[in-house]
Every structure is written in C-alpha cells, then in structure tokens.
Amino acid sequence: MAKIYPSLLSADFGYLMEEIHRIEAGGADGIHFDVMDSHFVPNLSFGAPVLKWLKDRTSLELDCHLMVEEPAKLYTDFAKAGAHRITIHSEACKNLDENLQAINLLGCKAGIAIRPETDFKILEPYLDQIDLILSMTVNPGYGGQKLIPEALDKTAQLIAWLEQKSLREKILVQIDGGVNSETAPAANSIGIDILVAGAAVFGTFDYKESIAALKL
C-alpha cells in the first residue's frame, strides 16, 4: 500500500497549522514541499523558513522537492531547516554526483526527480547515493494538471528495472502530478511507494476519507 504525502502547495496558507493537523489526523504519512524558483519551472512557491517553522510542529516526514535551476544554493538551507529528504532534478544539475554527496553529508536522505520525458536509465551511476526516485507524472511547475498515462507506464518500467537490479528494498519510487481517487488505483497496482497529492486532499472536505481513497 502506498504512503500518501499531501503537497503543501495546495494547502490554505491562511490556516496552515490547522491544515497540518487535519492531514495528520487524516492519516497522511508525510508532507511534500514543492519548491519552485520561477526559472527551472515557471511558478514560484516557498523557501526553507516555512519548513523550519513546521519542523517542530509535526511528526510527519518532511519531503522536499527542489524544482530549481541551482539546487546547491538551496539544499543547505533546507537541510538546516529540518528536511528529512531532499530531492533534486537530474535535468537541473551540472554535477549530479557532487550535489547528491553534499545532501547526504548534510544528514539528509537524497532523491532524484525526473521529468516525464527523461529516461530513467540515466540515473544508474547514482543509485548508490539515493533512497528515492521521483517520477513526475505531469510536467513540473503547476498543480492541478492531469496525470500523463505514458509517464505512469514509464514508472512501471522504472520499478521493473529496479527489481532487476535487486534495489527495490533500497530505493523508493514516488510519483507527483495528477494523483487523485481516479488515478491512484492504477498507480497502486504497479507498486508505487509514495503518492504525492495536492488538491485530491487539500481540495476536499474530509481529509481522512480522501487519503484513504488514495490508498485503495
């Protein structure tokens, strides 16, 4: 059964702590921070101070997805703020190996994110430095997009590839984009470990019911 990490991007920031309490009570397994810089992706979101404010107010895992052009400028701040995992984009790093080593040295778990069109096999040299691969199922940058079926098919191939390498116990597979009660069953059927959902949780009335529906 997949874990559910609601994306904070879809929360009501006017009632942020109340929103956090509601997803905790609703059975969420972590909080996903979609960090955007308006360069790598067109949108702009939030920085490390938001995470720092939350770290002592929740027991949920703090999962940071840096959709930024130069993650090296940000991951130290997020690590110091209390991030448990920092995921960076393969497409955004000139030296992916160096960035992953730095994240691990900061005491954080490291993940790699790939766009829908990126071939997951380019990640092979870095598999010993990560605990998660984030397979984007929409083009990164905005919430509320529809899941790209081909991206989910690619994720199934990624899982099979990791199984062939006997790495499924070591490396989690996460998807982000278009996850809702209609698309989650297909995602769960291929064995995805973590589903990131925004409006499918925060845009509903009953968070517990919505999170449970994503696990079916």
Side-chain angles (χ1 to χ4, degrees), residues 30 46 54 56 64 103 105 131 171 181:
F46 37 71
L54 283 177
D56 294 325
C64 296
I103 291 169
L105 286 172
D131 89 311
I171 298 176
S181 59

Side-chain angles (χ1 to χ4, degrees), residues 18-97:
E18 183 179 327
E19 293 279 63
I20 299 301
H21 289 324
R22 288 184 67 193
I23 63 169
E24 286 176 332
D29 302 287
I31 304 172
H32 190 76
F33 289 77
D34 284 308
V35 181
M36 307 180 195
D37 64 354
S38 77
H39 293 288
F40 181 67
V41 295
N43 206 355
L44 182 67
S45 61
F46 37 71
V50 175
L51 187 146
K52 183 178 181 180
W53 182 83
L54 283 177
K55 79 169 182 179
D56 294 325
R57 294 173 168 87
T58 180
S59 60
L60 295 177
E61 184 171 67
L62 305 178
D63 182 48
C64 296
H65 174 200
L66 302 186
M67 290 179 273
V68 301
E69 274 190 356
E70 298 183 66
K73 292 183 176 181
L74 292 179
Y75 53 61
T76 298
D77 289 341
F78 276 93
K80 289 180 177 178
H84 294 109
R85 178 185 297 106
I86 297 174
T87 298
I88 58 178
H89 268 268
S90 60
E91 306 92 350
C93 297
K94 294 178 181 178
N95 191 327
L96 191 55
D97 181 73

Side-chain angles (χ1 to χ4, degrees), residues 148-162:
I148 300 171
E150 293 80 7
L152 192 60
D153 292 340
K154 184 187 78 170
T155 307
Q157 295 169 21
L158 163 63
I159 290 171
W161 181 66
L162 291 173

Side-chain angles (χ1 to χ4, degrees), residues 2-8 23 27-34 60-64 84-85 109 131-132 172 174-176 179 193-198 201-202 211 214-215:
K3 293 184 177 180
I4 308 300
Y5 285 32
S7 171
L8 200 67
I23 63 169
D29 302 287
I31 304 172
H32 190 76
F33 289 77
D34 284 308
L60 295 177
E61 184 171 67
L62 305 178
D63 182 48
C64 296
H84 294 109
R85 178 185 297 106
K109 299 174 185 177
D131 89 311
L132 177 139
L172 301 170
Q174 179 183 71
I175 64 166
D176 183 1
V179 174
D193 301 293
I194 301 172
L195 304 179
V196 175
V201 175
F202 287 115
I211 290 169
L214 296 175
K215 294 186 176 186

